[in-house]
Amino acid sequence: MYLAKVLENCNKQDLTCDCVYKCCYMCINELADDSIVKVQRLLDKPEIKSCRIPLEIDFEGMTDEDYWLKSDIFRVDPVERSETLRQKIEKLVNMLNELQLMILQVDPDYAEEVFKRMARRVKRSTNNFLDYMKWRVCNPRPTMKQLEEQQAQLTTDMLIDGIMYYAEDPSGDEIAEVNLEKLMRFIKHGQKLPENFKAECAKLRRYSYWKGEHLFMIDYQKIYTYLFSHCFEKFTKKQHIALYEYDVQLKMIHEDMAKLKPELAKYLCDSKSPGTLEGTTLFAPYLHIKEMMKVDWFEKNRADKKYDGRWADAFAEALMRSEYGSQIAADWKGKSDKIKGYVIGCLKEAGVFKSEVSNDCLACEAGIMKNYRTFGRYIGKESQEQPYTEWILQHVNDYC
């Protein structure tokens, strides 16, 4: 970048003066040597994909020789005098092309980890209440149609924010496959869309798919490389936040859809997504355990208001990410009611529920099984015999 800046500044000098020319030539020649050495170091690095320096290079321009040779220093000087410098520029361009190919061939697993780190940084710096969370407060029992509208509106707003702007322009066939009329039925009436919106939809279609009639899914394994190649170099802070909020809120919508239609949960478990349990066998128990602790009976019997919805989300995720998560997931299919009872029992032992509330009372009010006395036994002695009992007793208050 510094070499390019100096070449540009040379255009402002009187290069017809031999003294000025020699000074500029020596400076550019040394910078070209330094640039070649630095780029070679990057090419030699096995961990090249972890280096942020190449993401700050203007590959679009600098991989073209004319980008460099348009400088006046190559015009005022006879070819034979500047030939050495021309050869260095040609070598630098070839090396930059090689470096760009290495970056474009980034390992999707590494790109995923980079995205997760970005999401964690944005999460720490973003304290705003998400729009979907506000909407859910006003719509405590949403219908599937309302959730589909939220899904469409969220995706529309994300595209308007320019998240897909840097993807390769779509072909005519790709644009023809976009059903914009269908989308318009779900978004706000009268909302004006940008002229290029259909093209942005076509770009997103490359990295997305539908599951069933309701779930609009992002193919994260495909989109990671695109995000890795452009996100840090070109995205604004506002776009980073928009990308993070889209990812988080889309998952919230999908979880709410799965509550209305439990059969959709299997599709969520098939998707790989950054920073969440989606895409793993841990997702189904995580979803049901956290929702079990966010309904009226739990709030009525809890010992402290600190055991709220945010706590439920964090606690359930931590439990499933613990060393006991895999065992819970393995037992879940045939023993889901038992595991719910065991978790409630462990929470009771840890002091989450009021001390005067009996096991049978909790079992009855939870309404998880018709035979509440059987469920009460799960809450009782059996819960204290589980391998994760001690973990819950030790960590239950870590997420308040």
Side-chain angles (χ1 to χ4, degrees), residues 16-63:
T16 57
C17 173
D18 195 56
C19 183
V20 173
Y21 169 82
K22 287 180 179 179
C23 182
C24 289
Y25 182 89
M26 287 176 60
C27 181
I28 294 170
N29 196 54
E30 289 181 7
L31 284 173
D33 288 337
D34 289 344
S35 297
I36 289 171
V37 170
K38 290 178 180 178
V39 174
Q40 187 61 55
R41 285 176 186 163
L42 295 175
L43 290 171
D44 292 341
K45 274 189 173 183
E47 66 275 17
I48 178 62
K49 299 177 183 65
S50 67
C51 181
R52 288 287 301 279
I53 294 175
L55 297 178
E56 297 171 1
I57 296 174
D58 178 15
F59 284 109
E60 187 174 347
M62 293 182 176
T63 51

Side-chain angles (χ1 to χ4, degrees), residues 321-337:
R321 291 187 185 277
S322 73
E323 61 268 36
Y324 306 105
S326 297
Q327 184 61 52
I328 293 173
D331 295 340
W332 182 258
K333 188 173 182 180
K335 301 179 181 178
S336 60
D337 287 347

Side-chain angles (χ1 to χ4, degrees), residues 209-316:
Y209 58 96
W210 285 90
K211 277 295 188 181
E213 299 178 0
H214 309 290
L215 295 173
F216 179 74
M217 312 292 286
I218 300 299
D219 190 330
Y220 288 96
Q221 289 300 302
K222 285 186 177 180
I223 205 170
Y224 284 143
T225 300
Y226 163 72
L227 293 175
F228 181 84
S229 300
H230 303 288
C231 188
F232 294 102
E233 176 190 2
K234 298 177 180 177
F235 278 21
T236 64
K237 181 179 179 180
K238 179 181 177 182
Q239 286 175 321
H240 282 150
I241 294 174
L243 179 61
Y244 164 75
E245 292 185 346
Y246 177 76
D247 182 64
V248 172
Q249 292 178 107
L250 186 63
K251 292 177 180 64
M252 291 179 177
I253 293 172
H254 289 170
E255 289 184 7
D256 284 340
M257 287 180 170
K259 294 174 196 173
L260 294 179
K261 289 191 174 184
E263 63 269 24
L264 296 177
K266 64 181 181 181
Y267 295 131
L268 300 185
C269 291
D270 287 339
S271 68
K272 284 194 174 182
S273 55
T276 75
L277 295 175
E278 287 187 34
T280 72
T281 57
L282 307 176
F283 181 73
Y286 155 72
L287 177 62
H288 287 275
I289 290 173
K290 75 167 187 169
E291 292 305 322
M292 174 183 72
M293 300 184 293
K294 294 166 71 174
V295 290
D296 293 344
W297 75 269
F298 187 91
E299 182 175 340
K300 174 185 174 182
N301 293 289
R302 66 187 177 182
D304 195 297
K305 290 183 178 180
K306 66 182 180 180
Y307 302 117
D308 56 10
R310 289 180 181 270
W311 167 84
D313 290 343
F315 169 77

Side-chain angles (χ1 to χ4, degrees), residues 70-233:
K70 67 183 179 182
S71 175
D72 289 345
I73 200 166
F74 295 103
R75 296 180 181 178
V76 301
D77 186 57
V79 174
E80 59 273 13
R81 286 183 62 186
S82 60
E83 183 59 28
T84 300
L85 183 56
R86 287 175 187 271
Q87 291 176 0
K88 291 181 180 180
I89 293 298
E90 181 180 350
K91 180 178 180 179
L92 179 61
V93 167
N94 290 335
M95 294 171 70
L96 288 172
N97 274 301
E98 185 179 352
L99 182 62
Q100 184 181 32
L101 286 177
M102 290 179 67
I103 294 170
L104 291 175
Q105 294 169 359
V106 62
D107 181 356
D109 290 337
Y110 177 76
E112 176 183 2
E113 183 55 37
V114 170
F115 182 86
K116 287 181 178 179
R117 291 203 300 269
M118 184 213 76
R120 288 194 292 268
R121 285 197 298 271
V122 174
K123 182 178 181 180
R124 287 196 297 268
S125 63
T126 305
N127 298 315
N128 295 332
F129 212 56
L130 295 171
D131 289 340
Y132 183 69
M133 297 168 70
K134 298 175 186 176
W135 181 84
R136 279 291 276 112
V137 171
C138 299
N139 298 270
R141 293 179 177 81
T143 64
M144 185 62 74
K145 185 176 185 301
Q146 287 177 312
L147 293 173
E148 288 176 330
E149 290 172 352
Q150 287 296 308
Q151 179 177 246
Q153 188 67 57
L154 183 70
T155 303
T156 298
D157 293 341
M158 179 270 291
L159 290 175
I160 291 175
D161 284 332
I163 301 302
M164 300 305 304
Y165 180 79
Y166 301 103
E168 185 179 349
D169 290 336
S171 65
D173 287 342
E174 286 179 307
I175 292 180
E177 291 176 357
V178 175
N179 189 345
L180 199 56
E181 292 73 20
K182 181 179 179 180
L183 176 65
M184 295 294 290
R185 296 201 300 268
F186 287 95
I187 65 175
K188 297 174 184 176
H189 176 68
Q191 180 176 7
K192 292 185 178 180
L193 301 175
E195 291 183 5
N196 67 333
F197 185 76
K198 197 167 186 179
E200 297 302 289
C201 289
K203 294 176 186 178
L204 184 60
R205 287 186 85 254
R206 300 170 185 157
Y207 307 102
S208 60
Y209 58 96
W210 285 90
K211 277 295 188 181
E213 299 178 0
H214 309 290
L215 295 173
F216 179 74
M217 312 292 286
I218 300 299
D219 190 330
Y220 288 96
Q221 289 300 302
K222 285 186 177 180
I223 205 170
Y224 284 143
T225 300
Y226 163 72
L227 293 175
F228 181 84
S229 300
H230 303 288
C231 188
F232 294 102
E233 176 190 2

